[in-house]
Amino acid sequence: MVNFTTMRHVWIGWLVGLVFMAQVANAQDDGSGRQKIEAAKIGLITNRLNLTTDQAPQFWAIYNEYNAKKQELNRRVRQLNNAPARTSLNDEQLVNGLREVNSTKQKLADLDDEYMGRFLKVITPAQLAELYKTEQMFNKMLLNKLNQGN
């Protein structure tokens, strides 16, 4: 027998997903797309983690800092991998570029390690695992939606 709370969370999850899809569709039409996508992500994370009123402000302060650093490192990896001049580099330059990609990926791993400790001071291990799962789910939903639009 499914209890009321579980059913409510399922319905809220579906509702957040529908709102997210609508926001992504609208985001492609105007300049505030990034903000709408971020709002949908925040809504989904908030719903899935069931943060208490005590946890929420501390969690979001840490998460926003973590997410900004993570986005910057991911942007750097993409820049290094997509550099148009890479085709005209010699072997030594290519190897150095690959080392820089690996070094940046290591910084991402170190960032995850550092922030795991910070998150665990505010949320439970189960909530942290749910955060990672929700981020993956969100990114997959976003990619699917963007691919459907093209």
Side-chain angles (χ1 to χ4, degrees):
M1 178 111 192
V2 177
N3 68 33
F4 177 75
T5 304
T6 303
M7 283 302 294
R8 191 182 84 185
H9 286 239
V10 169
W11 280 108
I12 290 172
W14 280 106
L15 181 61
V16 168
L18 288 173
V19 169
F20 160 72
M21 293 302 179
Q23 287 180 338
V24 169
N26 289 336
Q28 295 173 357
D29 297 334
D30 63 33
S32 65
R34 164 76 60 202
Q35 291 172 339
K36 288 182 179 183
I37 291 170
E38 285 300 315
K41 183 178 179 181
I42 289 168
L44 188 61
I45 290 171
T46 299
N47 175 258
R48 302 284 302 212
L49 266 57
N50 292 321
L51 298 170
T52 67
T53 54
D54 289 338
Q55 289 174 319
Q58 295 174 64
F59 168 80
W60 287 112
I62 295 168
Y63 182 81
N64 290 335
E65 184 180 300
Y66 164 75
N67 196 45
K69 290 178 180 181
K70 186 171 136 181
Q71 284 179 352
E72 185 54 42
L73 289 170
N74 281 323
R75 188 175 302 115
R76 182 66 183 143
V77 168
R78 283 191 306 277
Q79 286 173 345
L80 290 167
N81 284 330
N82 297 326
R86 285 184 80 112
T87 55
S88 62
L89 300 178
N90 65 36
D91 286 350
E92 184 180 345
Q93 291 168 323
L94 284 171
V95 169
N96 287 338
L98 293 170
R99 283 193 176 115
E100 189 174 354
V101 168
N102 288 342
S103 172
T104 306
K105 287 179 180 178
Q106 182 61 52
K107 289 176 185 173
L108 273 165
D110 294 343
L111 183 74
D112 283 342
D113 215 30
E114 173 191 345
Y115 276 83
M116 180 170 39
R118 293 183 64 188
F119 281 127
L120 290 173
K121 291 178 181 175
V122 176
I123 61 176
T124 68
Q127 286 173 310
L128 184 58
E130 186 62 36
L131 171 65
Y132 293 150
K133 187 170 128 184
T134 301
E135 284 185 316
Q136 285 182 327
M137 180 179 72
F138 180 85
N139 290 336
K140 187 175 180 179
M141 287 170 45
L142 181 60
L143 285 172
N144 286 341
K145 185 63 181 169
L146 291 173
N147 285 336
Q148 288 173 2
N150 295 332

